[in-house]
Each structure stands twice: as structure tokens, then as C-alpha cells.
Amino acid sequence: MMRTGGTTGQVTRRRARTRANLLQAAFSVFAAKGFGHVSIEEICEAAGYSRGAFYSNFSSLDELFFALYEERAELIARQVSEALAQDGPDLDVPAAVDRVTGVLLLDRDWLLVKTDFLVHAARDPEVARTLLEHRARLRGAIAERLARARGHTPLPAVLGDAGSAAHAVVAAYDGVTTQLLLDRDVAGARAWLKQLLTALLTEGSAEPAPRGRE
């Protein structure tokens, strides 16, 4: 029985390693060539595995992408939650925004992959629904923290409830990262995101907006 358990553990670890390697290879190939221009065979070749290894972990490229998306979404939600949680029940919005924009994932390769897949999802209602569910979970993590702070730190009335505020935060992130895809200016993206989030969550900002961003 111990031998069986040990073998099962080895198989589970090996499968997890195979899955992780496929995800890493897929990310690299997607970033280099674009989601719609990559085949399962190319991912398998980049990872050093057979098609059988791919299909033992994923049923399609869409499923593989969502595994990648979930990893990144969980990372972003954790970064935001941890940065906001440092204030305890009260929320010092300018300080929290400073922390969030300092750590938030702004990986241009990931943004390229995500944008390619967004276009793909826009043409497939079923994929679009799944992508919307993933985005809703990210907004939910942000809304939960804003809601906990609301009794101590009021949000601008124009935003309505914490869910609407979370929508605004994600929309600001989407807009800034679209600009980042074009100008490749990570430092500028962080500064602009800080300005937008501060303005959104405090009904204004004492700092001028960065120049030269359109």
C-alpha cells in the first residue's frame, strides 16, 4: 500500500510538473506569435512533450488559456487584496493606491496574450461568457475589500456601491494597459494608473496627471 501511495504521489507530481511546463511553454509561444496563430503541436514542441501529454491536461487551447488567465487573475487579485489589507478596517486611499500601483502586474507579454484572446472571445459567445466569469471573480476580490472598508472610509458617491467601484478600478487598469501595449512605458503606466485610481476613489487628486499620454 505504501508503494502504491508513493507511486500515486510521483504520478501526481509528474503530472503537475507537465502541466506547469505546458503552461509556461504556451505563454512563451503565445506571446511571440499570437494566440490565434499557435497550434497544439507548437506548444508541445516548445515544452518537449507529445500531444498525448497535452490532452491529458487540457482539452483545447481555450482551456489552456483559461488556466493561464486564472493564474494571472489570482496573482493580480492577491496583489490588490494584500496592498489594500495593510490599512486594516480603515482605508487610506492614496497610500493604498500607491502600494497597489507599485506591485501590480504590468507584464507586456501577458497583455499581448490576453488581448489576442479577448479578440478570439469576442467572436465566440461561449468563450466570451467564460472570460466574463473570470473577470467577474477579479472584480469581486476588489469589491470585497472596498466593501469592508466602506464603513470606515467613504467611496465617492458617483461610484455607487463597492461593486461599481471595482468595475471602475478594472476599467482604469484595462485602459492603462492598452496604452502600455503601444508605448511600452511601464513607469508611465504605473504613474498614470496611480493618478486615475486616486481620482476615482477620492473624487480628485492633488497631483497633476502625467504628460504625454493619450
Side-chain angles (χ1 to χ4, degrees):
M1 291 294 292
M2 288 179 63
R3 249 193 325 270
T4 301
T7 301
T8 301
Q10 289 173 4
V11 170
T12 301
R13 286 193 296 273
R14 185 165 63 246
R15 179 169 181 151
R17 187 165 58 248
T18 298
R19 180 183 175 88
N21 289 341
L22 284 166
L23 286 170
Q24 184 175 4
F27 177 73
S28 298
V29 178
F30 287 157
K33 302 184 68 174
F35 176 83
H37 303 284
V38 173
S39 67
I40 289 173
E41 289 78 8
E42 287 174 292
I43 292 172
C44 291
E45 182 179 351
Y49 293 118
S50 65
R51 284 174 61 92
F54 180 94
Y55 283 113
S56 69
N57 287 277
F58 306 103
S59 63
S60 65
L61 287 176
D62 284 356
E63 183 180 330
L64 181 150
F65 172 82
F66 280 121
L68 277 174
Y69 190 94
E70 193 163 321
E71 283 185 351
R72 297 316 192 276
E74 286 178 359
L75 172 60
I76 291 171
R78 186 169 65 251
Q79 289 173 329
V80 172
S81 295
E82 289 175 355
L84 294 178
Q86 291 182 35
D87 290 320
D90 295 309
L91 185 62
D92 180 345
V93 171
V97 166
D98 213 24
R99 290 194 301 271
V100 168
T101 54
V103 301
L104 195 60
L105 179 69
L106 290 174
D107 178 353
R108 190 171 180 275
D109 282 346
W110 168 241
L111 297 174
L112 284 169
V113 173
K114 187 179 76 167
T115 302
D116 283 337
F117 193 79
L118 178 64
V119 173
H120 167 65
R123 294 189 172 96
D124 187 323
E126 185 175 348
V127 177
R129 279 193 296 273
T130 305
L131 185 57
L132 285 170
E133 290 169 4
H134 280 263
R135 286 172 61 84
R137 285 201 289 273
L138 173 60
R139 289 196 307 272
I142 298 169
E144 181 183 0
R145 178 62 184 101
L146 292 175
R148 288 204 309 272
R150 188 164 187 172
H152 306 269
T153 306
L155 293 172
V158 69
L159 291 178
D161 59 16
S164 297
H167 266 279
V169 168
V170 173
Y173 176 78
D174 285 343
V176 167
T177 53
T178 297
Q179 180 72 20
L180 175 58
L181 279 173
L182 301 176
D183 65 18
R184 302 170 183 254
D185 182 1
V186 176
R190 290 196 189 283
W192 187 236
L193 185 59
K194 177 182 175 181
Q195 175 71 21
L196 286 175
L197 293 183
T198 301
L200 276 170
L201 299 176
T202 64
E203 293 187 305
S205 169
E207 300 178 12
R211 292 185 176 182
R213 301 188 68 77
E214 300 176 353

